[in-house]
Amino acid sequence: MSSTSGAIPSARTGSHYLSGLDDGRRVVVDGRFVRDVATDEATAGMAGELAELIDAHAGSGAHGGAHGGAHGAGGAPEADGCLALAYSLADSAEGVVARGRAFETVARRSGGLLGRSPDFLATIVTAWAGAADHFGRFAGNVRDYWRESRDACRILTHAISDPPAGRGDGLAGTLRIVREEADGLVVRGAKMLATLAPFADELLIYPYRPLGEDESDLAVSFAVPVATPGLTLYCRPSLAGGGPLARRYDEMDALCVFDDVRVPWHRVFVAGDRERANGLRDGTEMTSYAWHQSSVRAFVKAEFLWAVADRCARASGRRGAPPTRALLGELAGIAETLRSLVTAAEAGARKGASGHWTCEPTPLACAAMLNSRLYPRAVEIVQAIGSSGLIMHPSPADDPPSSPAHAFYSEYFARADVGAAEHARLLRVAADLALDRFGARQALYERVFVGPPDAFAGKFLDIYGAARGAVSATSGPLTGITAGP
Ligand SMILES: Cc1cc2nc3c(=O)[nH]c(=O)nc-3n(C[C@H](O)[C@H](O)[C@H](O)COP(=O)(O)OP(=O)(O)OC[C@H]3O[C@@H](n4cnc5c(N)ncnc54)[C@H](O)[C@@H]3O)c2cc1C
């Protein structure tokens, strides 16, 4: 595996990341400006989690050897560490698989609960850099941006969908180019919504839906630091006051409002060119890169839910009951289906049009489609198994020994192999996943990760038809039978 250029980056540290968050970024949570994302009670938990992720996986050599980073075949030094590996281009099938294992290592830290762990957006700018010619006169900007982001181990997020006022015929409110000036573009309007935005170094913008003939001013793609004058992030209410998972993994979602923001030319990737904007996905194979990361994360998350459900069943004494075994078996099947699709995609890795190696996209598209339906079912299974324990999980640790209830918690909630306090901790994790607002938001995230699930299923039908349809339609019992267009 090798990247197209590469000085070894000096390792980024978590403490450096945290101190850099007090940079004037305009973040509004619960109706107030957050002064410092690293220390505010609404955001400190997640900021700390990202700092730990950086310390564990940003590495410049210390952490990445086991994942195939090291040096490229041509002897060029490479970025390594799992986060840096997400920024690397593969020149072999082994390189693709190594990237997959790096995604897996990152996902396992959070049980797959971080939808926007930094490796996700890294895959997108990497795909763009590998196929930079797609960007025409801005190709050099894309390559430079990828190189800088990789070397700095930048945390990026993206905002691609339009706010409600920008849908349908009236386009009021949607982010657009207002004018071009000598030193760059001026943009105004909103993009909705960016997960992780308050914690990111930079925000990447590009269109989500295909643009019509009269929408050239919406054909814009660029990157800006989150702390850019004129950019404000209006966040949904914080979930950090919730259970144990919410306190650590509330990655936040924000409406991004641009008030005549200046984007310097060197950060512009598309400016008014509808064809390049509409061709972004096919022209750069970015979905194959991004869905590799998201599909790995999906199977890790399903395995995590299975482990939670399995422990809940053991702790409640129901693990041997046939209905419980059936539910656990179904959940295991969900995890294994998603894992197998990743294996299939990696096994089908091939050299793409850009000359770099990527996964076979069809199994990844299948995983994306199925996960939007299977994740809500997995949550339902955790609910069924956790049952009343999801609301009734008192612990002796909650009350002082002098409390009248203290003794009864141990008497009624401890079992032979699990103490009452440990049982309560487990059920609180399960409640966070399956009952509380944190879990509801996680389920919605997976449901719409690739857009409305029904729309994506239709898209997958086309992908499947193009990749496999001809085989079953022209062989076996259907040979010679046609059915119109
Ligand atoms: C937790 C979470 C995190 C997210 N993070 C990000 C992020 O980081 N970056 C980002 O850019 N976006 C993000 N999104 C937005 C996400 O991409 C969208 O929610 C998703 O594409 C669905 O779009 P929508 O919510 O506007 O729903 P809609 O498109 O309004 O869909 C809602 C319903 O309307 C139906 N519908 C849609 N279009 C039509 C139509 N033309 N005719 C008839 N029916 C229609 C759909 O079938 C669906 O059932 C996030 C969303 C969530 C919930």
Side-chain angles (χ1 to χ4, degrees), residues 116 157-162 167 191-196 208 236 252-253 441-442 444-455:
R116 283 288 176 281
T157 190
H158 67 180
I160 58 179
S161 9
D162 301 330
R167 295 174 195 167
K191 272 285 179 183
M192 178 174 158
L193 52 106
T195 299
L196 202 79
Y208 173 63
R236 60 156 166 76
M252 196 44 97
D253 306 286
R441 184 253 170 214
Q442 289 276 328
L444 186 63
Y445 181 92
E446 301 303 347
R447 205 178 148 71
V448 302
F449 175 71
V450 278
D454 46 0

Side-chain angles (χ1 to χ4, degrees), residues 17 20-27 33-35 37 196-202 226-228 231 233:
Y17 162 71
L21 285 170
D22 187 12
D23 58 0
R25 57 187 60 203
R26 290 166 59 84
V27 177
F33 278 100
V34 169
R35 211 197 59 73
V37 168
L196 202 79
F199 308 99
D201 299 310
E202 304 235 345
V226 168
T228 288
L231 171 60
L233 306 177

Side-chain angles (χ1 to χ4, degrees), residues 395-413:
S395 155
D398 297 335
D399 292 280
S402 58
S403 145
H406 184 87
F408 292 104
Y409 294 151
S410 297
E411 187 173 345
Y412 293 117
F413 288 92

